[in-house]
mmCIF file of all heavy atoms in Angstrom:
data_model
loop_
_atom_site.group_PDB
_atom_site.id
_atom_site.type_symbol
_atom_site.label_atom_id
_atom_site.label_comp_id
_atom_site.label_asym_id
_atom_site.label_seq_id
_atom_site.Cartn_x
_atom_site.Cartn_y
_atom_site.Cartn_z
ATOM 1 N N CYS A 326 30.923 41.879 12.868
ATOM 2 C CA CYS A 326 29.547 42.425 13.148
ATOM 3 C C CYS A 326 28.584 41.731 12.339
ATOM 4 O O CYS A 326 28.707 41.590 11.027
ATOM 5 C CB CYS A 326 29.530 43.968 12.872
ATOM 6 S SG CYS A 326 30.363 44.994 14.089
ATOM 7 N N VAL A 327 27.441 41.227 12.933
ATOM 8 C CA VAL A 327 26.402 40.511 12.157
ATOM 9 C C VAL A 327 25.031 40.965 12.576
ATOM 10 O O VAL A 327 24.845 41.449 13.731
ATOM 11 C CB VAL A 327 26.510 38.972 12.600
ATOM 12 C CG1 VAL A 327 25.672 38.130 11.678
ATOM 13 C CG2 VAL A 327 27.966 38.510 12.640
ATOM 14 N N ILE A 328 24.154 40.972 11.621
ATOM 15 C CA ILE A 328 22.769 41.354 11.824
ATOM 16 C C ILE A 328 22.101 40.093 12.309
ATOM 17 O O ILE A 328 22.210 39.007 11.704
ATOM 18 C CB ILE A 328 22.052 41.729 10.542
ATOM 19 C CG1 ILE A 328 22.850 42.927 9.910
ATOM 20 C CG2 ILE A 328 20.672 42.297 10.856
ATOM 21 C CD1 ILE A 328 22.967 44.104 10.785
ATOM 22 N N THR A 329 21.206 40.183 13.384
ATOM 23 C CA THR A 329 20.546 39.015 13.888
ATOM 24 C C THR A 329 19.366 38.646 13.059
ATOM 25 O O THR A 329 18.973 39.367 12.255
ATOM 26 C CB THR A 329 20.053 39.290 15.332
ATOM 27 O OG1 THR A 329 19.269 40.450 15.233
ATOM 28 C CG2 THR A 329 21.225 39.424 16.291
ATOM 29 N N GLY A 330 18.862 37.486 13.276
ATOM 30 C CA GLY A 330 17.605 37.046 12.767
ATOM 31 C C GLY A 330 17.699 36.301 11.345
ATOM 32 O O GLY A 330 16.859 35.527 11.125
ATOM 33 N N ALA A 331 18.646 36.596 10.524
ATOM 34 C CA ALA A 331 18.728 35.931 9.287
ATOM 35 C C ALA A 331 19.597 34.652 9.385
ATOM 36 O O ALA A 331 19.985 34.289 10.567
ATOM 37 C CB ALA A 331 19.356 36.940 8.277
ATOM 38 N N THR A 332 19.910 34.110 8.230
ATOM 39 C CA THR A 332 20.693 32.945 8.272
ATOM 40 C C THR A 332 22.262 33.279 8.425
ATOM 41 O O THR A 332 23.051 32.366 8.363
ATOM 42 C CB THR A 332 20.471 32.092 7.004
ATOM 43 O OG1 THR A 332 20.606 32.968 5.932
ATOM 44 C CG2 THR A 332 19.200 31.432 7.030
ATOM 45 N N LEU A 333 22.511 34.584 8.532
ATOM 46 C CA LEU A 333 23.924 35.031 8.452
ATOM 47 C C LEU A 333 24.748 34.445 9.597
ATOM 48 O O LEU A 333 25.848 33.870 9.397
ATOM 49 C CB LEU A 333 23.931 36.554 8.562
ATOM 50 C CG LEU A 333 23.227 37.337 7.501
ATOM 51 C CD1 LEU A 333 23.170 38.799 7.715
ATOM 52 C CD2 LEU A 333 23.972 37.154 6.142
ATOM 53 N N GLU A 334 24.126 34.534 10.820
ATOM 54 C CA GLU A 334 24.824 33.945 12.070
ATOM 55 C C GLU A 334 24.996 32.481 11.790
ATOM 56 O O GLU A 334 26.169 31.924 12.092
ATOM 57 C CB GLU A 334 23.872 34.019 13.157
ATOM 58 C CG GLU A 334 23.949 35.319 13.987
ATOM 59 C CD GLU A 334 22.976 35.209 15.201
ATOM 60 O OE1 GLU A 334 23.327 34.664 16.207
ATOM 61 O OE2 GLU A 334 21.865 35.757 14.983
ATOM 62 N N LEU A 335 24.041 31.738 11.312
ATOM 63 C CA LEU A 335 24.157 30.348 11.135
ATOM 64 C C LEU A 335 25.283 30.044 10.117
ATOM 65 O O LEU A 335 26.096 29.077 10.392
ATOM 66 C CB LEU A 335 22.857 29.870 10.558
ATOM 67 C CG LEU A 335 22.411 28.337 10.699
ATOM 68 C CD1 LEU A 335 22.099 28.095 12.242
ATOM 69 C CD2 LEU A 335 21.237 28.034 9.850
ATOM 70 N N ASN A 336 25.373 30.717 9.020
ATOM 71 C CA ASN A 336 26.313 30.456 8.034
ATOM 72 C C ASN A 336 27.742 30.675 8.629
ATOM 73 O O ASN A 336 28.648 29.852 8.338
ATOM 74 C CB ASN A 336 26.261 31.344 6.843
ATOM 75 C CG ASN A 336 25.017 30.980 5.985
ATOM 76 O OD1 ASN A 336 24.581 29.835 6.124
ATOM 77 N ND2 ASN A 336 24.447 31.861 5.290
ATOM 78 N N ILE A 337 27.923 31.714 9.376
ATOM 79 C CA ILE A 337 29.239 31.869 10.040
ATOM 80 C C ILE A 337 29.593 30.714 11.000
ATOM 81 O O ILE A 337 30.783 30.327 10.933
ATOM 82 C CB ILE A 337 29.252 33.247 10.862
ATOM 83 C CG1 ILE A 337 29.267 34.447 9.855
ATOM 84 C CG2 ILE A 337 30.408 33.272 11.799
ATOM 85 C CD1 ILE A 337 30.004 35.585 10.415
ATOM 86 N N ALA A 338 28.662 30.361 11.761
ATOM 87 C CA ALA A 338 28.918 29.312 12.661
ATOM 88 C C ALA A 338 29.252 27.976 11.931
ATOM 89 O O ALA A 338 30.231 27.324 12.293
ATOM 90 C CB ALA A 338 27.726 29.022 13.554
ATOM 91 N N ASP A 339 28.498 27.772 10.892
ATOM 92 C CA ASP A 339 28.838 26.517 10.071
ATOM 93 C C ASP A 339 30.235 26.599 9.415
ATOM 94 O O ASP A 339 30.962 25.665 9.468
ATOM 95 C CB ASP A 339 27.782 26.404 8.881
ATOM 96 C CG ASP A 339 26.464 25.865 9.370
ATOM 97 O OD1 ASP A 339 26.495 25.422 10.505
ATOM 98 O OD2 ASP A 339 25.548 25.882 8.601
ATOM 99 N N PHE A 340 30.576 27.841 8.936
ATOM 100 C CA PHE A 340 31.915 28.091 8.316
ATOM 101 C C PHE A 340 32.976 27.790 9.300
ATOM 102 O O PHE A 340 33.973 27.183 9.129
ATOM 103 C CB PHE A 340 31.901 29.440 7.751
ATOM 104 C CG PHE A 340 33.241 29.858 7.174
ATOM 105 C CD1 PHE A 340 33.639 29.236 5.912
ATOM 106 C CD2 PHE A 340 34.031 30.690 7.807
ATOM 107 C CE1 PHE A 340 34.890 29.629 5.409
ATOM 108 C CE2 PHE A 340 35.347 31.021 7.235
ATOM 109 C CZ PHE A 340 35.695 30.469 6.056
ATOM 110 N N ALA A 341 32.802 28.436 10.593
ATOM 111 C CA ALA A 341 33.810 28.369 11.584
ATOM 112 C C ALA A 341 33.954 26.900 11.947
ATOM 113 O O ALA A 341 35.085 26.387 12.170
ATOM 114 C CB ALA A 341 33.414 29.199 12.765
ATOM 115 N N ARG A 342 32.813 26.150 12.036
ATOM 116 C CA ARG A 342 32.909 24.736 12.394
ATOM 117 C C ARG A 342 33.652 23.867 11.386
ATOM 118 O O ARG A 342 34.532 23.132 11.676
ATOM 119 C CB ARG A 342 31.537 24.255 12.541
ATOM 120 C CG ARG A 342 31.313 23.493 13.848
ATOM 121 C CD ARG A 342 29.873 23.140 14.061
ATOM 122 N NE ARG A 342 29.460 22.019 13.160
ATOM 123 C CZ ARG A 342 28.232 21.651 13.030
ATOM 124 N NH1 ARG A 342 27.260 22.245 13.663
ATOM 125 N NH2 ARG A 342 27.902 20.612 12.237
ATOM 126 N N SER A 343 33.384 24.273 10.085
ATOM 127 C CA SER A 343 34.008 23.396 9.016
ATOM 128 C C SER A 343 35.445 23.758 8.831
ATOM 129 O O SER A 343 36.283 22.869 8.411
ATOM 130 C CB SER A 343 33.271 23.605 7.754
ATOM 131 O OG SER A 343 33.458 24.967 7.291
ATOM 132 N N THR A 344 35.898 25.021 9.120
ATOM 133 C CA THR A 344 37.302 25.292 8.939
ATOM 134 C C THR A 344 38.039 25.258 10.229
ATOM 135 O O THR A 344 39.346 25.346 10.217
ATOM 136 C CB THR A 344 37.470 26.703 8.369
ATOM 137 O OG1 THR A 344 36.817 27.616 9.168
ATOM 138 C CG2 THR A 344 36.872 26.731 7.020
ATOM 139 N N GLY A 345 37.382 25.126 11.362
ATOM 140 C CA GLY A 345 38.053 25.150 12.716
ATOM 141 C C GLY A 345 38.543 26.503 13.113
ATOM 142 O O GLY A 345 39.298 26.703 14.175
ATOM 143 N N ALA A 346 38.178 27.596 12.329
ATOM 144 C CA ALA A 346 38.635 28.942 12.770
ATOM 145 C C ALA A 346 37.688 29.408 13.866
ATOM 146 O O ALA A 346 36.480 29.088 13.960
ATOM 147 C CB ALA A 346 38.515 29.846 11.575
ATOM 148 N N LYS A 347 38.232 30.232 14.747
ATOM 149 C CA LYS A 347 37.409 30.836 15.797
ATOM 150 C C LYS A 347 37.109 32.329 15.353
ATOM 151 O O LYS A 347 37.998 33.121 15.356
ATOM 152 C CB LYS A 347 38.220 30.807 17.103
ATOM 153 C CG LYS A 347 37.788 29.765 18.128
ATOM 154 C CD LYS A 347 38.597 29.796 19.348
ATOM 155 C CE LYS A 347 37.741 30.396 20.498
ATOM 156 N NZ LYS A 347 37.129 29.507 21.389
ATOM 157 N N ILE A 348 35.831 32.556 14.995
ATOM 158 C CA ILE A 348 35.423 33.885 14.586
ATOM 159 C C ILE A 348 34.552 34.441 15.639
ATOM 160 O O ILE A 348 33.436 33.805 15.806
ATOM 161 C CB ILE A 348 34.853 33.815 13.181
ATOM 162 C CG1 ILE A 348 35.761 33.248 12.156
ATOM 163 C CG2 ILE A 348 34.430 35.234 12.740
ATOM 164 C CD1 ILE A 348 35.225 33.041 10.825
#
Side-chain angles (χ1 to χ4, degrees):
Chain A
C326 286
V327 192
I328 307 298
T329 53
T332 49
L333 300 168
E334 269 179 85
L335 201 72
N336 288 339
I337 285 212
D339 283 351
F340 176 73
R342 231 172 74 191
S343 66
T344 58
K347 258 182 102 99
I348 301 176

